[in-house]
Amino acid sequence: GHELRELVPALGASRSDAAVELLHTLASDEQILAECWDALIDAIAMLDTQSAHKMLLGFVDPELGGLTAPTRLGSEDRLVLRLTEVARRHPPILARLLAICDLDLQERQRQILSKVLSSIDTAEALEANLSLIDDERGLPVPQGVIEQLERTFVPRQPYGREPNIFTIEARAANELRARLFRMSLEDNKRQRSAARLLGKIEAWRLDYGRPPDERRHPDLGSGQPWPPEMF
C-alpha cells in the first residue's frame, strides 16, 4: 500500500466524483487502509462532493454500511478532524451526525462519533453526545463526552503568550447539571453513568472551586435530596 501514497492525494485533488469509487475500493483493502489511512481520509475530504461526504459518514453511520476505521491508538484523530470540518461547512451533514446518536452503533462508531461531537462543541452537539451514554456498554461514557464536559465545567484559560501554559477555572453550567440529575433519576439506560458524571463534576469542584453562580443542588425543584447516598 505504501506505493499509493502519491496517487491517493492526487485523487483527492482531482475534484472528480469518479475518484470516490476508486478511493472506496482502495480503502476496502485492509493493508492499503493501514498504509495510507491519513492520506485516504484527507483525499476523501478534499473531494468535498456529496458522494465523498457519504463515504466519510459511512465510518460512523450504520445505515450507510460504510468502511471501518483502523483500531490502532490515535488512528481516529484524522477522521474526527475531517468529519468535524465537513459538518461545520454543511448543515445536512451536521444534522445527520446528530440524528445517528439515537441509532444502535458499533462501539468503534460510537467512540468516533462522540469525539466528532466533542470537537464541534456546541450545546446541540453536547445534548446529542449525552445520548451516546449507555450503562450496558463496556465503556459506558465515551471519551468524547468526558472531554466535552470537562471543557464546559473546568475550561482551560490561556496564560501569557505560551501556547502550552494555561489555568483551569471553574465555570457554572446549571442547566447541564440539572439535565444530568434528571437522567440519574429517570433514564433507565443512563442512570448509573449520569450519577457518576455528577460525582465527577463535584470532584472538579473540590479541586478547582465552585463558581459563585452555580446552585448547590442540581435541580432543587425535583424534591430529591442532594447529594444522594451513593456520594
Side-chain angles (χ1 to χ4, degrees):
H2 66 276
E3 70 273 11
L4 299 172
R5 289 177 182 172
E6 293 183 5
L7 171 63
V8 169
L11 291 171
S14 71
R15 306 287 178 170
S16 169
D17 242 357
V20 176
E21 184 176 352
L22 178 52
L23 286 169
H24 191 282
T25 300
L26 295 175
S28 299
D29 185 295
E30 290 185 7
Q31 181 179 349
I32 294 175
L33 188 66
E35 291 280 354
C36 305
W37 168 249
D38 285 353
L40 281 165
I41 294 302
D42 286 347
I44 298 166
M46 189 184 302
L47 283 167
D48 204 26
T49 65
Q50 288 188 357
S51 297
H53 297 163
K54 185 176 180 180
M55 186 174 171
L56 273 181
L57 273 175
F59 284 100
V60 295
D61 190 337
E63 293 186 354
L64 292 179
L67 301 164
T68 302
T71 57
R72 68 177 185 273
L73 184 65
S75 63
E76 72 276 5
D77 292 348
R78 186 62 60 95
L79 178 58
V80 169
L81 173 63
R82 298 308 180 205
L83 272 172
T84 301
E85 292 172 345
V86 170
R88 286 173 174 163
R89 292 197 310 269
H90 301 281
I93 301 298
L94 175 57
R96 183 57 186 169
L97 288 171
L98 298 176
I100 61 179
C101 291
D102 294 324
L103 301 181
D104 184 19
L105 304 177
Q106 296 177 4
E107 186 59 24
R108 186 67 170 148
Q109 294 172 327
R110 175 174 169 261
Q111 294 295 333
I112 293 172
L113 178 58
S114 179
K115 288 191 174 185
V116 173
L117 295 174
S118 176
S119 297
I120 294 170
D121 203 24
T122 63
E124 189 180 28
L126 177 55
E127 182 70 19
N129 218 349
L130 293 178
S131 300
L132 295 175
I133 297 173
D134 186 344
D135 289 344
E136 300 305 317
R137 297 269 188 162
L139 188 64
V141 183
Q143 183 60 33
V145 174
I146 299 293
E147 293 171 357
Q148 199 167 5
L149 289 177
E150 188 170 7
R151 285 198 304 273
T152 301
F153 286 98
V154 283
R156 296 181 177 186
Q157 304 295 336
Y159 184 82
R161 298 182 178 180
E162 293 295 330
N164 296 322
I165 299 179
F166 54 86
T167 60
I168 297 178
E169 299 178 6
R171 184 169 66 186
N174 290 314
E175 291 303 317
L176 180 53
R177 286 178 73 233
R179 168 87 169 89
L180 289 170
F181 189 68
R182 289 192 295 272
M183 286 173 60
S184 73
L185 298 175
E186 304 166 0
D187 191 333
N188 293 331
K189 187 177 181 180
R190 305 173 181 88
Q191 280 181 319
R192 296 193 303 272
S193 297
R196 292 190 187 101
L197 288 172
L198 286 167
K200 190 173 188 64
I201 294 166
E202 290 301 307
W204 286 334
R205 296 309 184 228
L206 291 174
D207 290 338
Y208 305 111
R210 187 179 300 278
D213 54 341
E214 181 173 278
R215 298 187 293 266
R216 183 66 182 88
H217 194 299
D219 188 9
L220 191 60
S222 68
Q224 298 296 318
W226 179 261
E229 291 182 4
M230 68 179 66
F231 287 0

